[in-house]
Amino acid sequence: MSNNIEKKKFPWWIKLLIIVSALPVLTLPMIIGKCSAIQYDGAKMFFMFYPLYVVASTILAWISYRQRPEMTIILILLLWLTHIAMWMLPGAI
């Protein structure tokens, strides 16, 4: 069974999708810049864990593709929803 998993191809477009899905984390300084000091204190925990979450989700999506490609898609969708939520955070507080 593990031979089938190792022989399963890892398409280039999935690799590209996973990498592109992780890139919006680079906008974190811009997101923090939009916050006032009071807003930043209220959401500091989210800003600290956001990059860690993105890295963990990206690694898990990469690893899980060969055995469970549907899990990779779910992780990528959750990652994009998290990016959207973080972009909306300065205006919501």
Side-chain angles (χ1 to χ4, degrees):
M1 182 150 199
S2 66
N3 290 338
N4 289 338
I5 293 169
E6 291 175 5
K7 290 181 182 178
K8 188 174 183 177
K9 290 196 175 206
F10 198 85
W12 64 270
W13 60 272
I14 289 289
K15 293 178 186 178
L16 184 65
L17 180 65
I18 292 171
I19 292 169
V20 167
S21 294
L23 290 179
V25 78
L26 298 175
T27 63
L28 183 62
M30 184 182 70
I31 295 170
I32 293 173
K34 289 183 179 181
C35 293
S36 65
I38 295 171
Q39 288 175 329
Y40 179 73
D41 286 339
K44 187 186 287 188
M45 182 181 64
F46 292 113
F47 293 131
M48 288 180 6
F49 287 117
Y50 175 55
L52 298 174
Y53 170 76
V54 171
V55 169
S57 291
T58 304
I59 291 170
L60 290 173
W62 192 282
I63 291 171
S64 68
Y65 181 77
R66 290 183 193 259
Q67 291 181 354
R68 301 195 53 189
E70 63 277 356
M71 186 61 72
T72 297
I73 300 302
I74 291 169
L75 285 169
I76 290 172
L77 290 175
L78 286 173
L79 189 59
W80 277 101
L81 288 173
T82 304
H83 292 315
I84 292 168
M86 290 302 290
W87 292 331
M88 292 175 61
L89 189 61
I93 298 176

